[in-house]
Amino acid sequence: MKTGLYATLERIAAVIEARRGGDADASYVARLFASGEDAILKKIGEEAIEVILAAKSGDRLHLVREMADLWFHCMILLAQQGLGPQDVLAELRRREGISGIDEKAARKRKRREREA
């Protein structure tokens, strides 16, 4: 059995995937999937606002709990798009050691090249 953060994310992703086609009356995750992408996106927006409010309150435990809610709902969106935590972690690994300023400049450069 895997341990650590990645293993936790994998287990949560597996539960989300298992509940994806489940009974919407019995599963919150199944209900979100059945409601469609807009419902998932709306929930992420709500959770993001709650994270901001929790951060402003100075209550660290409240912030952690709201952040967990946000991450969970983001994982539902990833699953809805056929992605998982491994995709996000791979992108974070790719960016590791790269200046944020350099990363942003490279993305702008690539966007301009695609538009040209």
Side-chain angles (χ1 to χ4, degrees):
M1 173 188 256
K2 294 180 182 179
T3 59
L5 175 61
Y6 183 69
T8 300
L9 293 173
E10 280 186 320
R11 286 191 302 273
I12 293 168
V15 168
I16 289 169
E17 195 57 42
R19 293 183 182 168
R20 179 182 206 148
D23 180 359
D25 291 329
S27 168
Y28 172 75
V29 171
R31 187 176 321 134
L32 267 180
F33 277 119
S35 297
E37 184 178 75
D38 285 347
I40 296 168
L41 295 172
K42 180 180 177 190
K43 191 62 184 170
I44 289 172
E46 291 169 4
E47 295 300 340
I49 290 167
E50 290 175 10
V51 165
I52 292 166
L53 295 173
K56 294 296 284 180
S57 78
D59 182 338
R60 292 164 48 106
L61 179 57
H62 186 88
L63 174 58
V64 167
R65 288 178 174 161
E66 293 299 341
M67 189 66 72
D69 289 346
L70 177 59
W71 285 16
F72 179 75
H73 288 90
C74 287
M75 289 180 67
I76 292 171
L77 177 62
L78 286 170
Q80 193 268 338
Q81 294 287 325
L83 299 166
Q86 71 280 2
D87 298 296
V88 177
L89 292 172
E91 177 61 13
L92 289 171
R93 278 191 300 276
R94 185 190 70 76
R95 293 182 185 188
E96 196 171 8
I98 299 172
S99 157
I101 293 170
D102 293 342
E103 172 66 21
K104 188 172 182 178
R107 281 185 278 162
K108 283 183 180 179
R109 220 176 8 261
K110 286 180 184 177
R111 187 172 36 249
R112 280 192 300 253
E113 289 170 0
R114 281 193 307 263
E115 292 171 355

